[in-house]
Amino acid sequence: MEKTKYWLVKSEPFKYSWEKFNEDGRTFWDGVRNYQARNNLRDMREGDLVLFYHSNEGKNVVGVAKVVKESYQDPTTDDKNWVVVDLAPVESLKNPVSLEQIKAEESLKDISLVRQGRLSVMSLKAEEFDKILEMGS
């Protein structure tokens, strides 16, 4: 079986918040219009774990989700270039982990959240994912 991969997705809370996601129980992750982010969606596998990050306001990692359906055509567009995955919430972090905390943590200095601020879907190494979870517990 393929090893679990780890990801981080960003959403502006006023567009789609962690609270709303938990109410819905599942969603498809649409609206990605960046090729690198799209390629990351294509690489996601069922069971992969995903950190949910509130961008713009908050700027916090607030919860953990998992991939429940692998990439398929984005239903919000006819353009075949764009895909979505289905995500379901797993758990909320006890303490949201802020961008400031992440930037201050030496072991996280290379993550895309710090390096490529505009990227909306990014991969994480297992140790980076674990570190953020630890910071949020």
Side-chain angles (χ1 to χ4, degrees), residues 3-67:
K3 204 159 96 349
T4 302
K5 286 192 187 146
Y6 301 92
W7 308 91
L8 182 146
V9 296
K10 290 179 179 178
S11 180
E12 296 175 35
F14 74 92
K15 284 193 183 150
Y16 197 74
S17 69
W18 175 248
E19 292 69 28
K20 175 83 177 101
F21 181 34
N22 276 279
E23 280 167 34
D24 293 347
R26 178 178 179 139
T27 191
F28 57 82
W29 204 256
D30 68 331
V32 170
R33 297 294 179 266
N34 165 292
Y35 285 100
Q36 191 179 354
R38 188 257 343 248
N39 292 343
N40 286 336
L41 286 178
R42 282 187 176 159
D43 285 343
M44 287 181 176
R45 295 294 168 256
E46 203 172 307
D48 282 359
L49 293 173
V50 181
L51 293 176
F52 192 105
Y53 178 83
H54 275 167
S55 57
N56 290 358
E57 321 148 42
K59 297 195 175 169
N60 290 322
V61 175
V62 290
V64 180
K66 70 174 180 216
V67 178

Side-chain angles (χ1 to χ4, degrees), residues 63-120:
V64 180
K66 70 174 180 216
V67 178
V68 290
K69 184 177 177 184
E70 295 176 14
S71 67
Y72 58 97
Q73 164 75 35
D74 184 336
T76 65
T77 177
D78 293 331
D79 186 336
K80 296 284 180 244
N81 278 315
W82 306 112
V83 300
V84 297
V85 297
D86 286 4
L87 299 178
V90 176
E91 62 176 342
S92 299
L93 296 188
K94 270 201 198 76
N95 306 295
V97 180
S98 71
L99 183 60
E100 288 69 37
Q101 289 171 280
I102 288 169
K103 284 181 169 169
E105 173 52 51
E106 179 63 24
S107 65
L108 298 175
K109 69 178 187 328
D110 289 328
I111 70 171
S112 298
L113 188 63
V114 174
R115 295 269 165 157
Q116 291 174 275
R118 296 189 57 77
L119 188 63
S120 64

